[in-house]
C-alpha cells in the first residue's frame, strides 16, 4: 500500500511540474495534480505511527 501511495504522490508531483513548464499550463490539470498529491499525503501519513503516542498515554494516566 505504501509503495502505491508513494508512486501516486511522485506521479502527481511530476505531472504538476511538467504542466507548469508549459507555456500555457492548464489550471484543471494542475488542480487535479494538487488534489491527488494532497489525498496521497493524507493516506500515507495516516499509516505512520504517532511520534508522541507513548507520551500522550502517560499524560492521561497521570491526570486521572
Amino acid at each position: 500500500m505504501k509503495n502505491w501511495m508513494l508512486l501516486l504522490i511522485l506521479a502527481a508531483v511530476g505531472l504538476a511540474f511538467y504542466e507548469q513548464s508549459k507555456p500555457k499550463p492548464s489550471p484543471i490539470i494542475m488542480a487535479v495534480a494538487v488534489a491527488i498529491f494532497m489525498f496521497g499525503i493524507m493516506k500515507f501519513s495516516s499509516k505512520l505511527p504517532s511520534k508522541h503516542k507513548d507520551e500522550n498515554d502517560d499524560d492521561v494516566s497521570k491526570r486521572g
Side-chain angles (χ1 to χ4, degrees):
M1 177 90 174
K2 281 196 265 185
N3 291 339
W4 283 101
M5 280 296 141
L6 190 59
L7 187 62
L8 184 67
I9 291 168
L10 291 176
V13 168
L15 177 66
F17 277 127
Y18 173 72
E19 189 66 27
Q20 191 65 31
S21 69
K22 290 183 176 180
K24 252 186 131 173
S26 172
I28 294 172
I29 294 176
M30 291 295 292
V32 169
V34 169
I36 291 172
F37 175 76
M38 298 288 275
F39 178 75
I41 289 293
M42 181 184 69
K43 287 290 190 181
F44 187 72
S45 67
S46 72
K47 300 292 180 188
L48 297 176
S50 175
K51 182 178 173 183
H52 303 289
K53 183 175 170 68
D54 295 333
E55 293 173 9
N56 289 341
D57 291 341
D58 292 339
D59 291 342
V60 171
S61 63
K62 287 179 185 176
R63 281 189 266 156

